Amino acid sequence: MTLIDTGPLVALIDKNDPNHARVLACARTLPPGPLLTTLFCFTETMYFVWKEGGHNAQQRLWDTLCVYNM
């Protein structure tokens, strides 16, 4: 399990983000397992990816993450 924050999440989902390639390369080196974030980061990321890519980008975020309610 890997903890991830808003900035890398946005870059992972948004292909037009200047850090997309770097974050994607880094994500490929992570150990197998889910990405973990907080509800606050997830909500913020949903907002930013919607601004850039609409509902399709939000669906990619849902498909990428495993969100735990703690």
Side-chain angles (χ1 to χ4, degrees):
M1 189 175 315
T2 302
L3 183 62
I4 190 165
D5 197 19
T6 302
L9 276 175
V10 171
L12 190 63
I13 300 301
D14 180 6
K15 295 176 182 174
N16 295 320
D17 188 289
N19 294 309
H20 176 75
R22 186 173 14 175
V23 171
L24 191 58
C26 180
R28 289 181 176 141
T29 67
L30 296 174
L35 296 175
L36 174 70
T37 193
T38 66
L39 187 56
F40 302 109
C41 289
F42 183 77
T43 303
E44 186 177 37
T45 304
M46 285 294 267
Y47 170 75
F48 285 123
V49 298
W50 176 79
K51 283 181 69 176
E52 293 300 319
H55 296 290
N56 289 334
Q58 287 180 324
Q59 186 61 52
R60 284 194 309 276
L61 177 61
W62 274 114
D63 295 342
T64 301
L65 286 182
C66 187
V67 180
Y68 294 92
N69 187 5
M70 291 191 231

